[in-house]
Amino acid sequence: MQKISVAEARRLESVGREVVLQGWVRTRRDSKAGFSFLELNDGSSLGNVQVIVRGELPNYESQIKHLSPGCSVTVEGRIQASPGKGQSTEVVAQSVTVHGAADAESYPLQKKQHSFEFLRTIAHLRPRTNTFGAIARVRNCVSRSIHNFFQEEGFLYVHTPIITTSDCEGAGQMFRVTTLDPANPPRLDEEVDYTRDFFGRPTYLTVSGQLDVECFACAVGKVYTFGPTFRAENSNTSRHLAEFWMVEPEMAFFDLADTMELAERFLKRIVGDVLGQCAEDMQFFNQRIDDTVIATLEGIVQSQFVRLPYSEAIEILKSSDEKFEFPVAWGHDLQAEHERYLSERQFQRPVILFDYPRTIKPFYMRLNDDGRTVRAMDILVPKVGEIVGGSQREERYDVLLERMKEQDLDPEDYWWYLDLRRYGAVPHSGFGLGLERAVQFITGMANIRDVIPFPRTPGNAEF
Ligand code: ATP
Ligand code: MN
């Protein structure tokens, strides 16, 4: 007998096969006629397969009649067409082996609807629920789609380091990496002496792989890095995590317009793949989480993203009737409420904002001829706001050096980054997409903590 997944067993083509299925019982229902129905799930699909267990099985009274949600079993049986509504197949068991019981009294996942807040406290068990199983499959689909897209476009996947000495955003919101004893660190003139730390200097967890991946773009052309990033920003919002995954493509000989075009095709590809490959899960999100989510995604695949200079966005926001909590003024960063207004209300599709004030953006973004703005672009989507942040990079040595000094960065620390501008400099650009923001947007989940397996946020690193 062949082991197959529940997803496969649910397909009509499987009728007539003798198979082995393994998974967890979602529910048990006993019929007066002396047999039982088990709903079996193994994570391969949202739907369960119904297993019919006849009373003649030797362990029927001793084990089957005690099965409760969460118990794990191996079922051997034959797949037949199901007369029941909402399912095309069912399995008639020839044997059921029980592996692990799950005490019905104490098992935290009861049949009732649990709040997402409660489920965060049992993050080790929540993947067994419909919602979190569906999120795991969508997240997997998005990750695969990211690799497929870039591989097909001829990009090289480059692995950039996690431990770093440079603060890419210049924001100083980094986690320190050290092996010094916090109770008794070596000191030099009152200060902690980091020359005696593991790396001989202060080191941190990376906030972005961009600076490193630029070295590869300026050597092999089109590259991307895709890995965990860390930000110690103390923002308790529904769209910030302290640890998240980011995909960062970086392209030599791309200007900002080329980069916007690539990012738009990239987002449409991811959304299209999820709609096509996770149709059952998306139906679920549309029914249970957000009843506009499929329509929004279908709209995205067909729409043309708006391209809007920051300065024009400020005018639109200023002249709108909306009462914003944060003031709108040229030179201020946009808040989530402003980003959402533009994509949700004003344009009802993704908006690519570009040419931001130099004062609110990092040193590496290319200065425009107006001297006030830089070649930055953010992609804003309904509900989530910013999903992508990118820019054309400053490739002119002197201008870059000035920008560093302006932002109080020590050029000595970035000597290798400056070298890229001294030897064979090229125009180049790139962007970063937060994987969780993407999954949050696609599934319609309200809180980013629910689209990563084990969220890390201020005060939370359990599991
Ligand atoms: P925001 O303004 O929303 O805090 P940012 O401008 O700091 O984001 P970037 O530095 O441009 O973000 O990072 C690129 C992308 O990484 C963002 O567009 C977003 O998708 C994602 N991202 C940034 N910070 C976080 C975070 N703390 N948690 C999850 N995703 C994030
Ligand atoms: Mn950004």
Side-chain angles (χ1 to χ4, degrees):
M1 274 191 214
Q2 211 190 348
K3 253 190 212 182
I4 66 169
S5 66
V6 166
E8 207 180 333
R10 290 172 63 217
R11 291 189 204 119
L12 215 46
E13 305 91 81
S14 299
V15 166
R17 292 176 69 186
E18 308 245 319
V19 297
V20 179
L21 291 168
Q22 302 187 298
W24 292 265
V25 173
R26 282 289 174 83
T27 59
R28 187 194 90 236
R29 195 157 53 79
D30 301 326
S31 145
K32 290 206 180 67
F35 56 92
S36 299
F37 297 104
L38 304 178
E39 288 286 327
L40 190 70
N41 192 283
D42 65 356
S44 57
S45 66
L46 182 83
N48 310 316
V49 72
Q50 173 164 280
V51 179
I52 300 164
V53 192
R54 286 165 296 134
E56 294 88 76
L57 292 196
N59 60 344
Y60 185 74
E61 288 298 330
S62 61
Q63 289 191 303
I64 305 302
K65 292 278 288 263
H66 302 284
L67 287 176
S68 56
C71 295
S72 50
V73 294
T74 294
V75 174
E76 293 184 338
R78 189 184 166 81
I79 301 176
Q80 62 181 32
S82 170
K85 263 218 316 249
Q87 62 199 29
S88 45
T89 66
E90 59 192 17
V91 180
V92 182
Q94 286 142 21
S95 79
V96 176
T97 309
V98 179
H99 299 285
D103 174 49
E105 283 291 297
S106 63
Y107 188 55
L109 293 173
Q110 300 297 335
K111 239 195 127 182
K112 69 177 179 107
Q113 193 88 7
H114 295 292
S115 73
F116 291 132
E117 286 76 14
F118 169 72
L119 289 172
R120 271 173 228 146
T121 69
I122 52 163
H124 60 308
L125 296 174
R126 67 179 185 170
R128 301 180 184 198
T129 64
N130 283 335
T131 307
F132 288 87
I135 290 164
R137 286 181 295 274
V138 168
R139 192 179 161 107
N140 174 70
C141 181
V142 172
S143 305
R144 184 176 53 211
S145 193
I146 288 168
H147 283 296
N148 286 349
F149 177 83
F150 287 121
Q151 293 295 326
E152 288 162 21
E153 296 271 330
F155 283 62
L156 292 193
Y157 179 26
V158 173
H159 301 90
T160 47
I162 304 285
I163 299 174
T164 175
T165 53
S166 51
D167 176 357
C168 178
E169 302 295 310
Q173 295 169 324
M174 303 181 87
F175 290 101
R176 187 183 289 282
V177 174
T178 179
T179 52
L180 297 179
D181 176 3
N184 187 25
R187 289 179 191 276
L188 189 71
D189 307 330
E190 303 290 296
E191 306 256 309
V192 174
D193 181 8
Y194 285 106
T195 63
R196 291 168 64 190
D197 201 347
F198 190 92
F199 296 103
R201 55 200 291 191
T203 47
Y204 309 89
L205 294 178
T206 187
V207 295
S208 160
Q210 181 202 319
L211 302 191
D212 288 297
V213 92
E214 278 188 45
C215 303
F216 278 76
C218 294
V220 295
K222 293 194 286 186
V223 296
Y224 67 108
T225 179
F226 185 13
T229 34
F230 307 85
R231 297 196 184 176
E233 50 199 347
N234 204 353
S235 44
N236 256 308
T237 77
S238 60
R239 53 176 212 159
H240 287 93
L241 291 162
E243 176 180 307
F244 63 98
W245 285 66
M246 184 151 61
V247 53
E248 296 175 273
E250 187 74 31
M251 298 74 66
F253 306 105
F254 267 50
D255 64 14
L256 194 69
D258 299 329
T259 306
M260 291 181 194
E261 188 273 333
L262 180 84
E264 177 169 350
R265 268 191 308 119
F266 171 58
L267 287 180
K268 287 177 175 172
R269 166 67 182 272
I270 293 174
V271 167
D273 281 354
V274 172
L275 286 171
Q277 293 165 29
C278 299
E280 187 185 33
D281 292 320
M282 286 311 305
Q283 286 295 339
F284 172 83
F285 289 119
N286 207 63
Q287 269 162 25
R288 304 292 285 273
I289 305 295
D290 173 355
D291 64 8
T292 64
V293 76
I294 290 184
T296 305
L297 297 185
E298 283 170 347
I300 289 212
V301 178
Q302 282 142 25
S303 74
Q304 162 86 42
F305 292 10
V306 175
R307 282 150 174 78
L308 182 72
Y310 166 93
S311 300
E312 283 178 32
I314 293 297
E315 292 313 312
I316 291 175
L317 291 167
K318 272 187 177 163
S319 60
S320 89
D321 300 331
E322 193 80 8
K323 285 268 166 288
F324 294 117
E325 186 186 337
F326 294 91
V328 178
W330 200 96
H332 286 236
D333 217 349
L334 295 187
Q335 300 294 326
E337 58 175 348
H338 309 132
E339 297 173 350
R340 291 184 54 177
Y341 178 83
L342 291 169
S343 60
E344 248 168 83
R345 306 282 301 280
Q346 180 76 19
F347 295 104
Q348 291 158 1
R349 56 198 156 119
V351 177
I352 311 183
L353 274 194
F354 64 98
D355 287 353
Y356 282 74
R358 67 190 282 178
T359 48
I360 58 171
K361 289 292 182 186
F363 71 95
Y364 52 74
M365 296 189 176
R366 195 179 197 279
L367 191 63
N368 278 316
D369 292 342
D370 65 10
R372 313 164 68 210
T373 60
V374 289
R375 300 246 80 191
M377 67 112 178
D378 279 3
I379 303 185
L380 318 178
V381 293
K383 295 191 194 122
V384 172
E386 178 187 336
I387 194 168
V388 162
S391 67
Q392 184 168 337
R393 318 306 186 190
E394 185 55 77
E395 85 282 12
R396 296 164 297 184
Y397 184 89
D398 298 335
V399 183
L400 186 62
L401 201 61
E402 269 318 299
R403 291 274 288 149
M404 284 182 158
K405 290 180 184 158
E406 183 181 303
Q407 302 202 354
D408 285 329
L409 298 171
D410 185 353
E412 300 257 316
D413 293 342
Y414 295 89
W415 65 273
W416 51 272
Y417 189 72
L418 282 160
D419 264 6
L420 300 180
R421 281 74 181 164
R422 291 175 64 200
Y423 307 115
V426 291
H428 62 288
S429 310
F431 64 84
L433 167 76
L435 176 66
E436 289 74 19
R437 294 257 176 106
V439 177
Q440 192 182 0
F441 173 62
I442 288 170
T443 57
M445 292 294 290
N447 197 311
I448 198 166
R449 294 162 203 225
D450 297 327
V451 298
I452 187 163
F454 300 103
R456 270 82 181 97
T457 51
N460 295 302
E462 180 88 301
F463 307 106

